[in-house]
Amino acid sequence: DLATSNHMVGIKVQQNEEMYINSQWELAKLKQENGLFDNQYRKVVDSKSFCKYSLGNQTPINGQGNVWPLVKSIDLELTLGLMCSLPQYREAHFKWETHLVNG
């Protein structure tokens, strides 16, 4: 909704997510191609898992750098936080409820 309305926050979030997803894909490819399994790359997801969780089991064309058009799911913590901070989106998309926890 933010990106389609050309809101500056939505555009920036989309650009950042696209850059992040593409960089993660490049690292996943490097890990697979070069066998990078040492401690430096232990947190980098492998390409098979990346395709499963981010691309809905699609495999990009060999050598494809921009996988953004194939993305099916992303982590939306920051996006939801930004939407909550803008009153017009908070009122349109969120219903606030209070929950008692451990009390």
Side-chain angles (χ1 to χ4, degrees):
D1 189 28
L2 283 171
T4 57
S5 67
N6 288 325
H7 191 283
M8 64 179 184
V9 172
I11 299 297
K12 187 65 175 170
V13 168
Q14 185 175 356
Q15 289 171 344
N16 287 345
E17 286 295 328
E18 184 174 349
M19 285 181 5
Y20 176 75
I21 290 288
N22 285 326
S23 70
Q24 291 302 301
W25 172 239
E26 291 300 321
L27 283 173
K29 287 192 318 186
L30 277 174
K31 184 176 181 177
Q32 181 180 4
E33 292 167 1
N34 300 327
L36 302 174
F37 296 106
D38 59 11
N39 283 339
Q40 181 181 0
Y41 293 95
R42 74 179 190 286
K43 291 184 179 180
V44 175
V45 70
D46 61 275
S47 59
K48 184 177 178 180
S49 296
F50 180 89
C51 292
K52 179 179 179 181
Y53 296 112
S54 296
L55 307 181
N57 278 329
Q58 294 183 60
T59 303
I61 298 169
N62 201 12
Q64 183 174 352
N66 182 10
V67 294
W68 184 251
L70 304 175
V71 171
K72 300 295 181 209
S73 66
I74 58 174
D75 184 8
L76 293 175
E77 289 175 351
L78 295 175
T79 305
L80 293 174
L82 284 169
M83 286 181 72
C84 286
S85 69
L86 299 168
Q88 68 268 28
Y89 291 106
R90 182 174 54 234
E91 293 165 5
H93 298 286
F94 296 94
K95 178 183 173 190
W96 297 101
E97 295 180 359
T98 302
H99 295 273
L100 184 61
V101 178
N102 293 333

